[in-house]
């Protein structure tokens, strides 16, 4: 069986990791997959059979994307990247991958070029094909023209294939990257990446209390949303029958987690936990999801059809979540939460109004795992998919 090296660097949330691991799982039918994780290790994060994880010394960022932070034992980012580069080259020489799949780079993560470009050059020396795994929306830059020129240069020099994990009928990549037609490599949309797309959910029963699910992904941001939900729980307690299940995220600061747990001890309608590896099961039973507007949470909403309220993350002037949630609101699928809405009284009214309305149901391509595997397999066989 041929080998595939999948590189994923998550620095703030866990969306990149969840999506990448779902893709890696789909590739195990045709490849022995070595999954390089450059971000923090998440306890109890499920790893599929057939995927071998290689954890590099973890690099992360602060909530405002101002600086990269390195693990204990390393003095700075440069020395950490040098160590990681050598580790990557050792792995590449050992497994001699037929394919190297890189998540996001060069559309993002260019700060990691000093380890990635040597990896790509070494892999190409071994005859590997190079694929970029990319979500539907990429972060725009202040000097977008210069940024896009650099992306095109790197893509055209190193990459054989670009796989866009989205549906062009919903959000084409051109909305956030104008020079798609200037790329020399194969470019394909795969549809959205949904783990267990054919999963059958346990149906709610009449004895199950109405449930509101509140979550913020990894938990490094979105604390103001969780605080508002917790404060609104007092106002909602006697207004509607329900229970609020809140997940603060594995990276939520201890003080945030403890503060929310303290509030929950005085509420009969609020439970606070850090993390679940199966958020989808909770969402399938929820009457309402309150969350940020990241890729994976949004796909959970589309897969389950749950009513949803979303607060887009806009730190570092990142418009990815705003674009996605606004499009979904236009289609009647979600209600967007604006920062001004985070007043407990107003928010509780918004929750009750959302619960009274059924969401629209739209059909997007959700078979991104399956189509990604087919495209990668075709790339190394030099076949053309019909």
């Amino acid at each position: 069986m041929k080998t595939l090296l999948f590189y994923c660097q998550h620095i703030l949330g866990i969306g990149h990791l969840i999506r990448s691991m779902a893709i890696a799982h789909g590739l195990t039918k045709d490849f022995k997959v070595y999954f390089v994780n450059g971000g923090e290790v998440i306890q109890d994060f499920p790893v599929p059979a057939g995927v071998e994880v290689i954890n590099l010394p973890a690099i992360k960022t602060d909530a405002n994307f101002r600086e990269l932070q390195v693990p204990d034992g390393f003095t700075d980012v440069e020395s950490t990247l040098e160590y990681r580069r050598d580790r990557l080259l050792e792995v590449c020489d050992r497994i001699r991958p037929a394919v190297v799949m890189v998540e996001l780079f060069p559309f993002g993560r260019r700060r990691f070029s000093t380890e990635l470009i040597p990896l790509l050059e070494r892999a190409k020396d071994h005859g590997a094909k190079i694929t970029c795994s990319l979500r539907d929306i990429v972060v725009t830059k202040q000097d977008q023209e210069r940024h896009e020129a650099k992306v095109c240069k790197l893509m055209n020099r190193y990459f054989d294939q670009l796989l866009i994990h989205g549906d062009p009928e919903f959000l084409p990549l051109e909305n956030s990257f104008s020079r798609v037609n200037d790329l020399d490599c194969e470019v394909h949309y795969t549809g959205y990446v949904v783990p267990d797309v054919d999963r059958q959910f346990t149906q709610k029963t009449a004895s199950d209390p109405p449930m509101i699910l509140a979550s913020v992904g990894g938990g490094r941001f979105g604390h103001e949303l969780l605080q508002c939900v917790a404060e609104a729980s007092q106002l909602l307690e006697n207004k509607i029958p329900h229970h609020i299940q809140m997940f603060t995220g594995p990276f939520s600061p201890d003080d945030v987690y403890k503060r929310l747990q303290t509030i929950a001890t005085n509420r009969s309608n609020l439970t606070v936990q850090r993390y679940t590896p199966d958020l989808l099961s909770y969402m399938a039973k929820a009457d309402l999801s309150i969350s940020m507007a990241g890729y994976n949470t949004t796909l959970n909403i589309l897969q389950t059809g749950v009513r949803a309220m979303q607060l887009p993350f806009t730190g570092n002037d990142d418009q990815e979540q705003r674009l996605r949630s606004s499009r979904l609101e236009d289609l009647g699928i979600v209600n967007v939460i604006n920062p001004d809405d985070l007043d407990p009284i107003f928010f509780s009214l918004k929750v009750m109004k959302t619960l009274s309305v059924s969401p629209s149901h739209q059909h997007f391509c959700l078979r991104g795992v399956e189509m990604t595997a087919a495209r990668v397999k075709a790339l190394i066989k030099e076949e053309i998919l019909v």
Side-chain angles (χ1 to χ4, degrees):
M1 183 176 282
K2 293 183 180 295
T3 57
L4 182 144
L5 181 65
F6 197 121
Y7 174 99
C8 174
Q9 174 64 59
H10 60 100
I11 59 174
L12 186 61
I14 59 175
H16 293 276
L17 179 62
I18 292 172
R19 182 173 59 253
S20 295
M21 191 61 77
I23 294 169
H25 187 198
L27 291 164
T28 56
K29 294 179 181 178
D30 300 299
F31 298 93
K32 167 60 180 174
V33 179
Y34 294 85
F35 189 95
V36 174
N37 172 35
E40 285 188 291
V41 175
I42 299 172
Q43 187 176 3
D44 299 326
F45 187 84
V47 177
V51 176
E52 180 178 324
V53 176
I54 300 166
N55 290 310
L56 299 177
I59 295 178
K60 62 180 180 179
T61 187
D62 63 283
N64 296 313
F65 287 95
R66 289 189 181 131
E67 63 177 4
L68 292 177
Q69 299 171 346
V70 299
D72 292 340
F74 291 86
T75 57
D76 52 37
V77 175
E78 284 67 29
S79 64
T80 310
L81 288 171
E82 287 176 7
Y83 178 90
R84 288 169 36 130
R85 175 201 64 204
D86 293 343
R87 178 79 175 112
L88 284 169
L89 294 178
E90 289 172 5
V91 171
C92 187
D93 289 340
R94 174 169 59 86
I95 70 172
R96 292 182 174 262
V99 179
V100 172
M101 198 165 194
V102 181
E103 197 267 340
L104 187 56
F105 180 83
F107 294 85
R109 303 289 189 265
R110 287 217 307 272
R111 184 68 177 81
F112 294 82
S113 295
T114 54
E115 68 179 21
L116 278 170
I117 289 178
L119 170 64
L120 298 182
E121 290 177 343
R122 182 68 59 86
K124 291 180 82 70
D125 288 344
H126 291 316
K129 297 290 187 179
I130 312 296
T131 296
C132 175
S133 168
L134 191 67
R135 71 187 180 202
D136 56 345
I137 305 169
V138 294
V139 176
T140 55
K141 305 292 184 180
Q142 288 186 341
D143 190 343
Q144 184 68 9
E145 183 177 350
R146 183 168 176 263
H147 166 67
E148 293 191 357
K150 288 184 176 181
V151 172
C152 289
K153 182 179 179 180
L154 289 167
M155 284 295 300
N156 291 339
R157 180 171 181 179
Y158 293 109
F159 286 81
D160 301 290
Q161 186 181 65
L162 170 63
L163 299 180
I164 306 162
H165 305 306
D167 185 335
E169 296 299 316
F170 175 56
L171 278 171
L173 182 61
E174 284 84 352
N175 279 18
S176 53
F177 184 82
S178 68
R179 294 186 59 181
V180 176
N181 291 333
D182 293 330
L183 301 177
D184 296 336
C185 65
E186 295 180 11
V187 178
H188 303 288
Y189 285 88
T190 68
Y192 284 98
V193 171
V194 176
D196 301 325
V197 66
D198 295 318
R199 178 175 174 178
Q200 299 297 310
F201 300 108
T202 302
Q203 297 298 309
K204 281 192 70 167
T205 67
S207 62
D208 290 326
M211 194 249 284
I212 296 172
L213 176 65
S215 62
V216 290
R220 285 206 178 97
F221 53 85
H223 308 148
E224 70 281 10
L225 176 61
L226 297 182
Q227 183 69 30
C228 182
V229 172
E231 292 176 4
S233 67
Q234 183 178 16
L235 302 172
L236 292 168
E237 196 166 12
N238 298 316
K239 295 285 187 181
I240 54 175
H242 72 288
H243 188 82
I244 300 171
Q245 173 63 58
M246 179 181 292
F247 292 104
T248 65
F251 301 140
S252 61
D254 288 341
D255 62 325
V256 171
Y257 180 65
K258 290 175 181 177
R259 182 171 69 248
L260 293 168
Q261 278 207 319
T262 299
I263 294 174
T265 59
N266 298 312
R267 301 279 190 277
S268 63
N269 63 336
L270 176 62
T271 300
V272 175
Q273 295 174 259
R274 268 197 189 275
Y275 173 67
T276 173
D278 192 12
L279 187 69
L280 193 59
S281 290
Y282 286 89
M283 198 168 286
K285 287 192 172 185
D287 296 85
L288 171 65
S289 168
I290 301 173
S291 70
M292 308 300 288
Y295 182 102
N296 295 287
T297 304
T298 298
L299 267 294
N300 289 163
I301 291 166
L302 294 179
Q303 188 176 2
T304 59
V306 67
R307 296 178 184 87
M309 297 167 60
Q310 290 189 321
L311 175 67
F313 173 76
T314 55
N316 199 37
D317 199 31
D318 185 347
Q319 297 302 308
E320 174 224 340
Q321 294 194 13
R322 173 66 66 184
L323 285 170
R324 186 181 294 113
S325 60
S326 295
R327 178 78 171 114
L328 290 169
E329 187 172 54
D330 289 343
L331 295 171
I333 298 172
V334 307
N335 285 335
V336 172
I337 303 167
N338 296 305
D340 292 344
D341 297 337
L342 297 179
D343 168 80
I345 296 175
F346 182 84
F347 192 82
S348 62
L349 294 174
K350 193 175 179 75
V351 166
M352 289 189 287
K353 182 178 179 180
T354 304
L355 281 167
S356 69
V357 179
S358 296
S360 298
H361 293 287
Q362 304 286 332
H363 296 285
F364 304 111
C365 178
L366 303 181
R367 308 205 73 88
V369 172
E370 178 183 326
M371 288 304 301
T372 296
R375 290 293 184 185
V376 175
K377 184 178 179 181
L379 176 67
I380 64 169
K381 288 189 173 182
E382 298 182 350
E383 296 172 351
I384 299 177
L385 292 180
V386 177

